[in-house]
Amino acid sequence: MNKQALVVVSFGTTCPTARTAIETMERHLAAQLPDHDCFRAFTSNMVIRKLQQEQNLTVPTPEQLIKTLALQGYTHVVCQPLHILNGWEYEKMCRQLAPFAGQFLSFRLGKPMLTDFADYEECCRIIAQNMPLPQPGEALVLMGHGSDHFSNAAYSQLENTMRYLDMESIFIGTVEGFPNLDFICKRLKKQEISRVALFPFLIVAGDHAQNDMASEEESSWKSVLERQGYTVTAHLTGLGEFPDTGKLFARHLAEAAPFPDN
């Protein structure tokens, strides 16, 4: 008898309210495969430890979960990551999953959010349909996480795709990579901008969104922009809360390919 599992893998978050975005994506993906049991895994060991210590919540790593599914007799497994980039966390997940290739009758893996050019175009549509499009004198600024991985170039490609689609007053920066906030500020000065809407370009509106982007701390993006004279509105809505994001990941789930058998 076949036992089928859907594994939804994300970086994770320790913020209870932010987990709503992950739960929304899990429900959307589970609805695509109603004959599969749905499971959650996080790639961040730090998040996993803090959840256990502070909230008494246990979330497995991808490796731990797949090992458990194998022992429980699951025969068909498909993993869909909620990572935005093909970066360090995605690569870590792949390393953890690799030893299990060949241990199931079917073992498939979906792609991260920004992989093919079609993803960039669809992501621009998600932004246009779910965030306030800038009017004259306004700008929409998105805050991504950023990385020292070469996949960080995806942020620049996304903004270039916006320009290709005539979305001229939407900018994306990162907390831990390039383009950063200084770059965004230089670009805002070249336009007659007086009002800025801030949104996280993150699956969850967790610590980075709440503190680095929207807080009243001196170094937050909101505070920095306000000191430069802009009227700033910060929105704490993660990408995972938009049903349209679920549709993008559902497409990747449908296109999931067999994990290479070592």
Side-chain angles (χ1 to χ4, degrees), residues 2-17:
N2 291 332
K3 291 182 68 176
Q4 302 181 104
L6 165 63
V7 176
V8 183
V9 182
S10 60
F11 178 83
T13 180
T14 60
C15 180
T17 56

Side-chain angles (χ1 to χ4, degrees), residues 23-248:
E23 293 163 359
T24 298
M25 291 296 96
E26 290 171 342
R27 286 194 300 270
H28 191 94
L29 293 171
Q32 313 305 309
L33 298 174
D35 54 349
H36 287 55
D37 299 325
C38 186
F39 299 91
R40 171 187 299 173
F42 288 171
T43 55
S44 171
N45 293 320
M46 178 273 293
V47 168
I48 291 172
R49 284 195 302 271
K50 290 190 69 175
L51 285 174
Q52 182 65 55
Q53 295 168 359
E54 299 175 3
Q55 301 178 36
N56 198 30
L57 290 177
T58 301
V59 179
T61 66
E63 180 181 23
Q64 292 168 340
L65 179 54
I66 296 300
K67 184 181 296 184
T68 298
L69 294 180
L71 292 173
Q72 291 178 349
Y74 279 86
T75 56
H76 295 70
V77 177
V78 56
C79 299
Q80 177 55 54
L82 298 183
H83 301 116
I84 290 177
L85 306 180
N86 289 260
W88 297 123
E89 293 298 318
Y90 176 72
E91 290 183 353
K92 179 169 71 174
M93 179 197 71
C94 289
R95 287 195 301 272
Q96 292 185 10
L97 297 180
F100 299 94
Q103 295 191 24
F104 302 94
L105 294 180
S106 173
F107 188 32
R108 296 184 297 131
L109 178 64
K111 298 176 181 178
M113 185 174 185
L114 294 177
T115 300
D116 303 319
F117 182 67
D119 299 333
Y120 290 86
E121 290 187 303
E122 187 170 350
C123 193
C124 288
R125 288 193 292 271
I126 291 171
I127 293 166
Q129 293 167 4
N130 294 278
M131 300 180 188
L133 290 178
Q135 300 302 309
E138 298 177 347
L140 172 60
V141 173
L142 309 177
M143 187 196 76
H145 187 281
S147 172
D148 58 0
H149 191 278
F150 65 83
S151 64
N152 188 80
Y155 295 109
S156 295
Q157 180 171 341
L158 179 62
E159 186 169 312
N160 281 330
T161 307
M162 293 176 189
R163 300 296 172 264
Y164 170 69
L165 297 173
D166 296 323
M167 302 165 70
E168 297 293 339
S169 297
I170 303 179
F171 306 91
I172 183 164
T174 68
V175 180
E176 297 183 9
F178 182 85
N180 55 23
L181 182 57
D182 288 341
F183 181 79
I184 297 294
C185 290
K186 289 179 180 179
R187 300 195 64 191
L188 290 176
K189 288 178 181 178
K190 294 180 179 180
Q191 299 190 22
E192 295 182 0
I193 301 297
S194 60
R195 297 178 301 280
V196 173
L198 285 173
F199 267 87
F201 189 74
L202 304 157
I203 297 300
V204 302
D207 179 70
H208 282 301
Q210 295 180 23
N211 297 312
D212 297 314
M213 187 190 81
S215 74
E216 299 302 323
E217 295 178 9
E218 183 177 348
S219 60
S220 78
W221 286 28
K222 179 176 181 290
S223 296
V224 171
L225 290 168
E226 285 178 337
R227 285 198 301 273
Q228 295 192 15
Y230 299 104
T231 300
V232 181
T233 304
H235 301 264
L236 291 173
T237 306
L239 294 172
E241 297 181 56
F242 302 140
D244 290 327
T245 305
K247 294 177 183 177
L248 187 157

